[in-house]
Amino acid sequence: MNTPANTPADLEAVPESIELVAEPAAILPVVPGYLLMSLAVGVMAFIALVAALYLARAFFVPLLIGILASYALHP
């Protein structure tokens, strides 16, 4: 008797402790486009802030030294 390997009787014999492997598309979450866009804008804003502070270091370093000297000389 030639019967296929996956007959309903064979599927019922599978123990319930065995978990079926999910497909990769079912594992990855679906992220809405607006969340990805807001993440990209946040990363670009952080990079712009770091670049602005780097370029303004000629102003901020003497300012901070002056503030610290002011506190040290007149507490």
Side-chain angles (χ1 to χ4, degrees):
M1 182 170 166
N2 289 332
T3 60
N6 291 332
T7 61
D10 291 339
L11 293 177
E12 290 175 5
V14 174
E16 300 220 1
S17 62
I18 296 176
E19 294 182 20
L20 299 176
V21 177
E23 294 184 20
I27 295 173
L28 296 175
V30 177
V31 179
Y34 64 88
L35 287 179
L36 292 176
M37 184 65 71
S38 83
L39 177 66
V41 169
V43 168
M44 289 188 334
F46 178 74
I47 291 172
L49 177 68
V50 170
L53 288 174
Y54 178 76
L55 293 174
R57 69 185 184 275
F59 172 75
F60 284 117
V61 171
L63 180 68
L64 286 174
I65 291 173
I67 291 171
L68 290 176
S70 170
Y71 280 124
L73 295 175
H74 188 66

